[in-house]
Amino acid sequence: MKILSIVIPTYNVEKYLRRCLDSLVYDESVLEDIELLVVNDGSKDNSLEIAKEYEKKYPKTIRVIDKENGGHGSTINEGLKVAKGEYFRVIDSDDWVNIDEFADYIRELKKCKADIVLTNFNKELLYSGEIQTFDYKNLQYNKEYDLNDFDYSILEDAYFYMATSTIKTEKLRKAKLHLDEKTFYVDMEYILLPFLEMDSMIYLDFNIYRYFIGRAEQSVNIQSFVKNRAHHEKVVRRLLDFYKSIPDKEHKKEYIRKIILQLLNTHYIIYCKAKLNDKKDLEEIRAFDKFLKENFKELYDELSRQQRYINWNRKTNFIYAQFHNNLLSRICEKIDNRNNWRNA
């Protein structure tokens, strides 16, 4: 049995795919322990040909799945259907792994019993050349935690990211995980929807994932957030429904609530800080805000307490969001700045 299945969602990445695959097969000592599922999502460039080239060279390790375009979530769904590894993780085809630590990580993974294995990652910022390292500063390495009795507050503003998480395949299947297809931002579904099935976690001292950020076509830049805001709302609404279904006595609910509040804040930022000025945009955020107030009043109120800009916008029926340089917006910003100075 393979210890780890890695799904590599692939769409029009001929410039980056070799770097990704080379990093994963660099140390031949682990090739028997891993399977690489390259899921080609209807690429129109040479990505499929490159993937098949590597499949031919590493037939016991690499499997290419060619499918019609269905989005990032669909590639993970397809990979999960056929994965044979005890553990499962996703590595995007424009990213790569740290070749200096990957083999040691695989060997350590063979000893693990925890449902979630956490490791660190780097953000490689394309335009500035800056490298940012993410770690869980308040967790102890090599300690197995019981997630049903865990103090989630020690994570502070962090959570279990796709780039940090290696998850037992059987837990994902037990949760019947199926991500939305033809939809951006489903990484949040991947992190939250199976979480109630997880019982244990361990944090290993490896920095594995290299997250390549800054390409114009990436879904995480602000222009893409604006363009694909309907996708973001779809994911938000699905996760809100999931949150609502969780009994209040569930210990993990507070952790899930915290992440959903972050996701909601991002959704308001798209409308309130991206300088959208179309009447349709104003109607969209008003409708969403009304939906949140009517169905999730506690989250609605918490956002007002946490985020002044949301509170100001609600008081002005989101006129503030649409006219950033008018007198009202300048007054609001001055008040916010003064309060921030007093609280510093």
Side-chain angles (χ1 to χ4, degrees), residues 282 286 312-313 316-324 326 328:
L282 186 59
R286 284 174 175 168
W312 281 118
N313 275 290
T316 65
N317 201 19
F318 290 90
I319 295 296
Y320 176 30
Q322 300 299 306
F323 301 101
H324 292 260
N326 69 3
L328 176 60

Side-chain angles (χ1 to χ4, degrees), residues 64 103 129 145 154 166 210 234 244 282 293 312 324 340:
V64 176
Y145 293 88
I154 69 173
T166 304
R210 296 295 181 263
K234 180 181 179 181
K244 193 173 186 177
L282 186 59
K293 184 177 182 180
W312 281 118
H324 292 260
N340 289 337

Side-chain angles (χ1 to χ4, degrees), residues 2 42 134 140 154 159 183 227 239 314 325:
K2 301 281 188 176
F134 174 87
Q140 296 180 37
I154 69 173
Y159 52 88
T183 306
K227 178 181 177 182
L239 292 178
R314 285 171 172 166
N325 294 315

